[in-house]
Amino acid sequence: MDKGHILIVDDEEGILTSLEDILEDEGYRVAKAHTGEDAMDLVRSEPPDVVLVDVWMPGIDGVKTLQAVKEHNAETEVIVMSGHGNIDTAVAATKLGAFDFIEKPLSMETVLRVVGQAVRSRRLRAPKPPAGEEFVLIGSDEKIAEVRIQIEEAAADLRPMVISGEPGSGKRYVARVIHDRGVTRGEPFTPLHCRALSAENGGAGAAENLARLLPERRGGTIFLDGLAELAAGARIGVLETLLERARRRERLIVAIDESPQEGAGSLPAEIAKYLLARKVRIPPLRERRGDILALAKRFLAEAMQNGGVEKEFEMDALAALFQFDWPGNVAELKSAVNRAVVSTLGKTIEAEHLPDSIRGTYTQEIDPRSPADFKTARRDWERRFFSYHLVRNNWDVEATAREVNIPPATLARKLRSYRLASLAASRKSRADRQRTIGRSLVIYGRGLHSGVKTGLILEPLPPDSGIRFGSLTTSDTVAARPEFVENTNHATNLRDGTVVARTIEHLMSALHAYGISNILVKIGEEVPNMDGSAAEFCRLIEDSGVEEQEAAVAPLVVDKVYEVGGEDDPDGFIRVEPSAGFSISYDLDYPEPIGRQSLNYVHESAEGFGKDIAPARTFSFIWELENLERMGLGEGGRWGNVILVDHGRIVNTELRFPDEFVRHKILDIVGDFYLLGRPLRGKVTAARSGHRLNVAMVRLLSEALL
């Protein structure tokens, strides 16, 4: 029994598999997607009853997916899941139309209860399509997507309208959907065919017969088909009768047939003057050929629901289905699939099992020298294809991506796979290019100071966008620039209006090391602390890949000595002076067990940073904890991700470096200095300084050099 169609969207395979098994055991039909983009493809192809979506996902996050689902079909219920959200996220999701919000780790009892409630809610409001016709609007082609948009627009419009399309395209079904989704829902839907208006096709008396066939109660929708079968005079009489009723809160929808041979035609003049308000054209299947195979597989799955041997299409059958023009459209395709299922005894449907008219359009023309393996053949073709267009565009990856109409990050991954990336990159210097990440990624953790479970999504941005922090629940962002630094109490924190980004320095240090200049960082107000270092952020960037962009970025060159603080200042000092590269020399002097530590770090590569600086963790003193609590910090009580120092001893961990404390101070400077948004050519010398002096120096350099 099919209790409902559920779509699960989560980037964690374990969650997808667990939920799929449980929901299928309960009788639900389940689809899965790893990303919001994949989810929307499935929603557009076949709207589910309920979508279960995780908040923290790369690309289109859970909140954006919620909005996209609701914009496409407001009746689909969406349940939001998160183990790293907060009450603000839950409230925002509910305001955007979420049915409910479920916290991870998931309770299966809760999931089944909420899903059951959502399905019942969806079914109570759902239009009931004519049996067997719900497939008409399935597909991802832009033409059928436009029809779905037109249906939603027409649902609220009572003016007379026309639905045109070839035989088998589903005109009556579309009319019923418009009726059920609009102001006429709950009122009668009355289908009429003009052949029933007179015993003699096109003869006199059609208008009089019409009066006897119409319901006495006015309201709802009249769907009129077969108008061409009436004589011109009779058509006018029928239309005038129906239009008079339509003036009194009754919708009139007229179906107009198109010919597969003659194509889409205009309305006859005597009809057009009565029906000028709105027209929906259902495209023939041959005009949205990309939907043919998806529909065929859907029909095959439906045929299998009645039991029997599980079957699948062979490649030659799929090729024949794809190449046929389908003059009978979706109805003919479904009929052909059902006939093939009945006529096939084995587990595979081959081209020979299809009707002769369909099979005759397919001829097998394969070069015997081609690779026998399909994946090998596809890779060989793609490599030649991309090589050809790269040469045409002088090995310019961005221009090539535009020409072949795929995202630059996707093309870059393909080029790496086919070992073409080094050739494409060799024509330009790596030193002067803006950079972003290759793909969206997600990471989870807790805020160092809040202790709240949170997540982080990294998304690529186009050139000249800069580094921006935002949240899941609003499109507003705050730029990682010194003018937006709110405070530096034990961390570097940003604010622009209501948008807040706290504890950004560790992530900023990793972005600095890899030269990432354009990126969107979505967080729950505080960047996850991870283990108190930048090592996990470096790993995240490595996993995503670094993409060079067409736009150039010029380094900031220090022209003289700049200094904040002083040798005698209890808070220390920081000085920047001219240099050919970027280096940091730091002196630290604390009571034991830290003692006197000094290190000179020369930044030469991301690899060097990842080895020598990124693993160094933040540290705190036991006697500072009470003060942190008074400041509203450290509320999570999770101190395993910092080095805790007591008088004469390390309390909670083993050091990763003998001088790990000074290395972390350098890590903070690397992060804070990237508030400049550009690489720096200068030597930094500092002693005892923290975020306050770091940011003061960044502001000074920004005013002087930018």
Side-chain angles (χ1 to χ4, degrees):
M1 177 183 175
D2 182 2
K3 292 175 62 176
H5 180 199
I6 313 298
L7 172 61
I8 311 166
V9 193
D10 201 304
D11 62 332
E12 296 184 48
E13 184 62 39
I15 296 291
L16 287 176
T17 302
S18 299
L19 286 174
E20 179 185 34
D21 292 343
I22 290 165
L23 291 170
E24 285 186 341
D25 286 346
E26 292 294 317
Y28 295 103
R29 183 160 54 92
V30 178
K32 300 183 297 182
H34 290 87
T35 67
E37 293 90 339
D38 292 343
M40 288 312 302
D41 287 341
L42 293 173
V43 168
R44 284 187 285 265
S45 176
E46 182 184 2
D49 295 308
V50 175
V51 177
L52 275 163
V53 60
D54 186 47
V55 167
W56 298 97
M57 294 191 303
I60 301 179
D61 60 60
V63 174
K64 283 187 177 178
T65 303
L66 160 65
Q67 292 175 288
V69 170
K70 285 295 186 180
E71 287 173 3
H72 178 73
N73 186 353
E75 294 177 348
T76 298
E77 299 290 9
V78 181
I79 300 168
V80 176
M81 309 177 292
S82 178
H84 302 84
N86 53 38
I87 189 64
D88 292 336
T89 305
V91 171
T94 303
K95 287 182 178 179
L96 291 171
F99 181 81
D100 208 338
F101 186 94
I102 302 178
E103 283 194 88
K104 293 181 179 179
L106 298 171
S107 160
M108 290 304 109
E109 291 183 1
T110 300
V111 169
L112 292 176
R113 174 177 55 80
V114 175
V115 167
Q117 292 171 345
V119 170
R120 287 192 292 274
S121 172
R122 168 71 177 91
R123 295 266 169 105
L124 284 173
R125 295 183 290 104
K128 301 297 187 289
E133 291 186 5
E134 63 274 10
F135 54 79
V136 169
L137 296 175
I138 293 173
S140 57
D141 186 275
E142 62 181 7
K143 289 187 177 181
I144 200 66
E146 179 61 25
V147 171
R148 290 193 288 264
I149 293 172
Q150 291 174 350
I151 286 174
E152 298 301 329
E153 294 173 347
D157 188 349
L158 273 177
R159 290 177 297 171
M161 64 174 298
V162 168
I163 300 176
S164 66
E166 294 179 2
S169 58
K171 295 185 288 296
R172 175 171 168 173
Y173 170 68
V174 169
R176 182 59 185 262
V177 172
I178 291 171
H179 168 79
D180 284 333
R181 292 186 182 177
V183 295
T184 53
R185 62 180 178 273
E187 298 290 333
F189 178 85
T190 306
L192 293 174
H193 199 287
C194 287
R195 71 170 65 98
L197 299 183
S198 175
E200 300 173 1
N201 187 32
E208 292 76 12
N209 289 336
L210 176 65
R212 293 195 298 269
L213 294 173
L214 291 173
E216 292 183 4
R217 176 187 171 187
R218 303 206 176 201
T221 299
I222 304 295
F223 174 70
L224 186 67
D225 199 358
L227 196 60
E229 297 183 20
L230 292 177
R235 291 176 197 161
I236 294 173
V238 167
L239 285 174
E240 287 180 341
T241 300
L242 293 175
L243 287 168
E244 191 279 329
R245 288 179 60 114
R247 295 189 186 98
R248 304 183 185 182
R249 301 292 295 172
E250 190 167 70
R251 185 198 304 272
L252 172 62
I253 301 177
V254 178
I256 299 294
D257 286 330
E258 294 179 359
S259 167
Q261 290 75 35
E262 298 174 1
S266 59
L267 290 171
E270 74 276 9
I271 297 176
K273 70 177 183 179
Y274 290 98
L275 304 169
L276 296 177
R278 186 181 294 276
K279 180 178 179 181
V280 174
R281 178 179 180 263
I282 306 173
L285 194 51
R286 64 182 177 277
E287 291 184 9
R288 53 183 185 111
R289 198 173 294 274
D291 292 336
I292 291 175
L293 299 187
L295 285 164
K297 292 177 180 178
R298 162 70 185 277
F299 298 151
L300 179 61
E302 288 182 351
M304 294 296 94
Q305 289 179 0
N306 296 324
V309 178
E310 290 292 325
K311 303 178 190 293
E312 61 181 6
F313 290 109
E314 280 285 4
M315 289 299 295
D316 62 345
L318 291 173
L321 292 171
F322 181 80
Q323 295 186 23
F324 189 58
D325 279 342
W326 301 105
N329 292 289
V330 183
E332 184 182 14
L333 173 60
K334 184 172 186 178
S335 175
V337 172
N338 289 337
R339 287 174 58 188
V341 169
V342 173
S343 63
T344 306
L345 298 179
K347 294 184 177 181
T348 57
I349 298 175
E350 300 176 358
E352 67 183 61
H353 300 125
L354 299 173
D356 291 343
S357 60
I358 299 171
R359 187 172 67 249
T361 64
Y362 171 67
T363 57
Q364 189 176 24
E365 298 178 355
I366 299 177
D367 187 339
R369 296 169 297 176
S370 300
D373 177 71
F374 175 75
K375 289 184 178 179
T376 303
R378 178 176 175 175
R379 285 181 58 85
D380 182 55
W381 181 87
E382 281 193 351
R383 192 180 195 282
R384 294 197 307 271
F385 175 83
F386 290 131
S387 296
Y388 169 78
H389 286 281
L390 281 166
V391 171
R392 277 173 50 90
N393 289 281
N394 194 27
W395 295 93
D396 187 322
V397 175
E398 293 274 342
T400 302
R402 287 194 297 270
E403 182 172 275
V404 302
N405 195 30
I406 64 173
T410 301
L411 177 58
R413 288 196 295 274
K414 294 282 188 182
L415 299 186
R416 288 196 297 271
S417 173
Y418 302 137
R419 298 184 179 181
L420 296 171
S422 59
L423 290 173
S426 62
R427 62 182 290 269
K428 288 188 180 288
S429 167
R430 296 177 59 87
D432 62 348
R433 305 287 294 280
Q434 294 186 29
R435 298 179 185 178
T436 189
I437 56 174
R439 61 190 176 96
S440 297
L441 284 178
V442 177
I443 196 170
Y444 304 107
R446 284 182 181 266
L448 172 64
H449 293 142
S450 68
V452 173
K453 290 191 296 183
T454 186
L456 175 149
I457 300 175
L458 299 180
E459 294 185 1
L461 285 180
D464 300 317
S465 298
I467 299 169
R468 309 194 69 85
F469 288 82
S471 72
L472 293 168
T473 58
T474 177
S475 59
D476 296 334
T477 61
V478 54
R481 297 203 304 264
E483 59 264 37
F484 296 113
V485 174
E486 180 186 34
N487 65 65
T488 52
N489 291 331
H490 298 274
T492 301
N493 308 301
L494 304 174
R495 179 185 289 274
D496 186 6
T498 60
V499 184
V500 176
R502 299 190 178 97
T503 324
I504 69 168
E505 61 272 9
H506 299 172
L507 174 60
M508 290 290 289
S509 72
L511 299 177
H512 192 169
Y514 285 85
I516 305 297
S517 48
N518 302 298
I519 193 170
L520 174 61
V521 184
K522 292 184 178 179
I523 57 174
E525 290 198 354
E526 186 174 8
V527 174
N529 185 57
M530 312 316 298
D531 66 349
S533 77
E536 192 68 12
F537 298 126
C538 290
R539 182 197 62 77
L540 199 66
I541 294 171
E542 289 283 351
D543 287 348
S544 73
V546 177
E547 299 293 343
E548 294 185 356
Q549 299 174 305
E550 276 300 305
V553 56
L556 290 174
V557 179
V558 177
D559 56 347
K560 64 179 184 179
V561 176
Y562 297 88
E563 186 167 338
V564 176
E567 297 283 354
D568 299 326
D569 193 322
D571 290 335
F573 76 93
I574 186 166
R575 181 171 60 246
V576 182
E577 57 192 282
S579 176
F582 179 52
S583 64
I584 302 171
S585 178
Y586 198 101
D587 286 330
L588 188 66
D589 190 4
Y590 279 115
E592 293 296 337
I594 298 176
R596 182 74 179 264
Q597 295 186 4
S598 299
L599 183 68
N600 183 52
Y601 169 71
V602 179
H603 182 65
E604 295 178 336
S605 66
E607 293 75 17
F609 175 84
K611 177 174 177 264
D612 297 329
I613 302 298
R617 293 163 293 176
T618 190
F619 59 95
S620 187
F621 300 98
I622 291 289
W623 54 86
E624 288 185 340
L625 297 186
E626 185 177 349
N627 184 46
L628 287 174
E629 289 177 356
R630 283 199 300 268
M631 295 168 60
L633 305 176
E635 295 177 356
R638 295 175 60 88
W639 293 98
N641 50 10
V642 301
I643 304 171
L644 278 178
V645 182
D646 199 0
H647 297 286
R649 67 190 180 104
I650 306 297
V651 173
N652 63 330
T653 187
E654 296 291 329
L655 295 180
R656 295 175 177 174
F657 307 96
D659 55 353
E660 186 168 355
F661 302 95
V662 70
R663 290 175 189 263
H664 188 83
K665 286 292 189 179
I666 290 174
L667 184 154
D668 283 345
I669 290 177
V670 172
D672 287 340
F673 269 52
Y674 210 42
L675 290 166
L676 293 166
R678 289 160 61 178
L680 184 73
R681 298 290 178 264
K683 178 182 178 181
V684 180
T685 303
R688 306 182 308 280
S689 69
H691 294 296
R692 184 181 68 82
L693 290 186
N694 295 346
V695 173
M697 174 57 76
V698 168
R699 285 177 171 144
L700 179 61
L701 294 174
S702 177
E703 293 171 0
L705 302 177
L706 288 177

